[in-house]
Amino acid sequence: MSTFYFIAFLSIFFSILVISAKNPVHSILYLILTFFTFTIHYILLNAQFLAIVNFIVYMGAILVLFLYTLMLINLNKESEPVKPFMVKIAGVFGGGILAVALASSLKLVAASNPVILKNPDLGLVKNLGKVLFNEFLLPFEVSSVLLLSAMVGAVLLATKDPKTA
Amino acid sequence: METADLIFRIVLIVIVFAISLVVAMYSTYAERKVAAFFQDRIGPNRAGPWGILQPLADGGKMFLKEEIIPTNATGFLFIVGPSLAILTACIGSAVIPWGKAISIGSHTFDLQVTDINVGVLYIFGVVSLGVYGVMIGGWASNNKYSLLGAIRAASQNISYEISMGLSIIALLMLTGTLSLKEIAEQQHSWHWNIIRQPLGFILFIVCAFAETNRTPFDLPECETELVGGYHTEYSSMKLGFYLFAEYINMFISSAVMATLYWGGYNYPFMDDVAASLGANPAAIIGVVVLFAKIFLFIFFFMWVRWTIPRFRYDQLMDLGWKILIPLAIANIVLTGIGSTLLTHLGY
């Protein structure tokens, strides 16, 4: 349990650094550390497959692309637009309301009934595969269609318009 | 965990770590000797007999050289870059099974640091993490050539990771497990996976060349275009770490290829050897066989480096996206059809 609290502290600490870092590249590097602490959370929950997939897909691929883009665009103080004061106030207000809503809904969930897994080995690859391809086959396949549509959209954006080219 | 087991694990970690460093050190020597052989030269021959102390001299030079951190570099990240490169290179060896279990007295000890049941994916994750060392170092140098090298490394790494993953999927369809220990056990005596997955192996080795930044895919450090690539601004041991990480990566990827496709520590007639010599000597012979395979692969890496010229960048991307990925998908389909037919026919 103390490990969980330590890792949870680190997750929150690094995610605060993500939004407070001045340099966007530093911000991404803190985000990488945050995702790494998530990987440790998954391992603590015995969800090994999820942990390693989080490691490969988020840390190894998506954030590399983030870093890649941020290194190429020139983000410095001169080109950064200065936001008006009212927008900042509105942002703080909206964020505060979201935090209150989340806290109250979480309190309701925790009070009713804590979820206890019947099978603690559920997160292992074999069990996860069996559950995905038997019980949740339809949602699994539908989500792959979602990915396909995103891919088609990306290809459509990347190809040149025949009229303008 | 028992105390004896724990002590054995710690000893094994130290040994594996030491072996990877020594192999990496002598790979630099081997590379220069192999290059000399291919170019009809003699190679390093002054430090010690046959130049065998050359890596020590090189290492001493790396330690004693002046440390230079450029004024405009991001100080902390400039140091993090090479440290991360060497760290990710070293942690990959944790899941490789180096040999069969050895029994001392009543205890049996696995010659593997840890057998996690997602071993193959762990290797894959470590490989994908390896690019951060190059990217962070290249960006923190605050140099255009370094940044270009870092960007090339990132895009190359991501592109070839896809076909590498797809080529492993075909292998996993046959093995049915992600644990490297079980994959090695399945390839008993001569039943090596290369027989069932020749195309998958070719795809995997091409991707391994790209992931370790070796020629013909060494565009991140292409000296004719980018001075030194991502390590242009580095000097002393920080440069040494980058170069060292490349050789350790080569060693680990050779070990992975040997384990996944070439039988790992298995060798033909291993049961006869075990019957006549006993289990422990047979296991040690297995370790030697695994290392022989690894050294052959390292030699292959060097052979290719001094034979094939470097690709152009667009050719590299074309090869990755238009040739390797379709081939890897075709390999998955073929493997699926083949294994279904074989089970249907009753093999």
Side-chain angles (χ1 to χ4, degrees):
Chain A
M1 208 58 187
S2 57
T3 328
F4 167 75
Y5 281 118
F6 178 63
I7 301 299
F9 166 74
L10 282 184
S11 318
I12 294 167
F13 179 71
F14 286 127
S15 39
I16 288 172
L17 283 177
V18 171
I19 47 174
S20 63
K22 291 269 186 257
N23 188 324
V25 172
H26 290 182
S27 176
I28 287 292
L29 294 177
Y30 287 127
L31 191 59
I32 294 167
L33 285 176
T34 314
F35 276 118
F36 185 64
T37 57
F38 291 171
T39 304
I40 303 174
H41 278 303
Y42 286 132
I43 292 173
L44 287 180
L45 291 171
N46 207 16
Q48 299 184 2
F49 184 71
L50 212 53
I52 209 84
V53 164
N54 181 60
F55 194 76
I56 296 173
V57 175
Y58 280 91
M59 285 180 70
I62 294 179
L63 287 179
V64 170
L65 283 176
F66 264 53
L67 202 56
Y68 181 84
T69 331
L70 276 179
M71 281 177 177
L72 284 175
I73 52 176
N74 197 12
L75 286 174
N76 48 24
K77 284 199 181 89
E78 289 86 53
S79 63
E80 188 86 345
V82 182
K83 294 182 186 73
F85 187 69
M86 279 310 284
V87 173
K88 286 181 187 169
I89 294 284
V92 169
F93 187 68
I97 285 181
L98 182 66
V100 169
L102 277 177
S104 56
S105 61
L106 273 179
K107 210 177 170 191
L108 278 177
V109 170
S112 54
N113 54 337
V115 181
I116 296 165
L117 272 184
K118 284 171 207 133
N119 180 8
D121 287 339
L122 188 71
L124 304 188
V125 186
K126 202 166 252 172
N127 302 329
L128 197 68
K130 275 183 183 148
V131 171
L132 268 186
F133 283 96
N134 288 322
E135 243 173 281
F136 299 102
L137 184 62
L138 188 66
F140 184 70
E141 296 293 339
V142 169
S143 67
S144 71
V145 174
L146 192 72
L147 285 177
L148 185 71
S149 65
M151 208 158 84
V152 170
V155 170
L156 203 68
L157 283 177
T159 45
K160 281 180 196 146
D161 194 354
K163 284 168 211 156
T164 54
Chain B
M1 202 182 288
E2 295 171 65
T3 337
D5 205 29
L6 190 67
I7 293 170
F8 180 77
R9 287 269 166 101
I10 293 170
V11 170
L12 188 68
I13 290 172
V14 172
I15 291 175
V16 167
F17 198 66
I19 287 178
S20 2
L21 290 183
V22 169
V23 168
M25 209 165 97
Y26 273 90
S27 296
T28 64
Y29 170 74
E31 175 122 72
R32 295 168 73 175
K33 277 288 185 194
V34 169
F37 172 70
F38 278 101
Q39 298 170 348
D40 202 14
R41 291 185 284 117
I42 298 172
N45 67 344
R46 292 304 155 106
W50 309 288
I52 204 130
L53 297 176
Q54 187 66 41
L56 293 177
D58 287 343
K61 188 187 79 176
M62 287 288 183
F63 275 113
L64 296 174
K65 271 204 162 183
E66 188 190 353
E67 287 252 0
I68 299 169
I69 296 183
T71 330
N72 288 330
T74 316
F76 179 65
L77 290 182
F78 191 74
I79 299 168
V80 166
S83 321
L84 206 59
I86 196 105
L87 177 78
T88 49
C90 287
I91 57 177
S93 60
V95 291
I96 291 167
W98 299 102
K100 276 197 155 173
I102 281 185
S103 48
I104 302 166
S106 59
H107 285 288
T108 52
F109 298 107
D110 277 332
L111 290 183
Q112 183 183 21
V113 176
T114 176
D115 177 38
I116 51 178
N117 64 21
V118 285
V120 177
L121 292 180
Y122 170 82
I123 295 270
F124 206 64
V126 169
V127 165
S128 62
L129 208 59
V131 73
Y132 279 120
V134 172
M135 281 189 88
I136 290 173
W139 182 79
S141 302
N142 203 2
N143 173 317
K144 288 197 174 83
Y145 292 119
S146 304
L147 184 63
L148 280 174
I151 284 167
R152 280 185 176 186
S155 45
Q156 172 179 329
N157 206 289
I158 291 179
S159 313
Y160 279 80
E161 233 167 60
I162 300 170
S163 26
M164 191 182 224
L166 289 175
S167 68
I168 293 180
I169 285 176
L171 178 73
L172 296 180
M173 283 161 69
L174 295 176
T175 59
T177 172
L178 286 166
S179 150
L180 282 174
K181 188 184 179 189
E182 283 171 37
I183 290 177
E185 274 165 5
Q186 282 172 2
Q187 308 176 59
H188 194 75
S189 96
W190 55 269
H191 298 276
W192 299 352
N193 282 332
I194 179 70
I195 302 168
R196 301 188 290 172
Q197 278 292 323
L199 181 60
F201 170 69
I202 293 169
L203 293 171
F204 190 89
I205 197 169
V206 172
C207 296
F209 272 83
E211 297 282 327
T212 49
N213 289 336
R214 293 285 299 183
T215 323
F217 302 105
D218 63 342
L219 287 130
E221 41 189 315
C222 169
E223 61 273 354
T224 46
E225 297 167 12
L226 295 179
V227 193
Y230 58 86
H231 53 58
T232 305
E233 295 284 357
Y234 281 92
S235 61
S236 144
M237 202 58 206
K238 291 203 282 297
L239 172 69
F241 273 172
Y242 271 130
L243 303 182
F244 232 62
E246 180 181 318
Y247 285 102
I248 298 177
N249 278 332
M250 226 162 89
F251 172 62
I252 301 298
S253 51
S254 302
V256 171
M257 279 188 286
T259 309
L260 287 182
Y261 290 98
W262 289 88
Y265 50 76
N266 295 299
Y267 51 96
F269 311 114
M270 58 193 290
D271 291 332
D272 303 333
V273 174
S276 59
L277 290 177
N280 279 351
I284 289 167
I285 292 174
V287 177
V288 174
V289 166
L290 175 63
F291 271 92
K293 289 172 187 170
I294 291 172
F295 291 145
L296 273 177
F297 275 119
I298 292 179
F299 174 71
F300 185 70
F301 269 100
M302 291 169 183
W303 184 8
V304 169
R305 173 166 179 183
W306 298 105
T307 312
I308 297 178
R310 186 180 287 139
F311 281 121
R312 225 171 45 221
Y313 197 67
D314 57 322
Q315 291 172 331
L316 171 101
M317 284 295 153
D318 275 357
L319 178 69
W321 289 97
K322 293 183 186 162
I323 299 177
L324 291 186
I325 292 180
L327 269 180
I329 294 173
N331 189 33
I332 293 176
V333 174
L334 282 179
T335 310
I337 293 172
S339 62
T340 315
L341 275 183
L342 283 183
T343 8
H344 208 69
L345 296 173
Y347 281 104

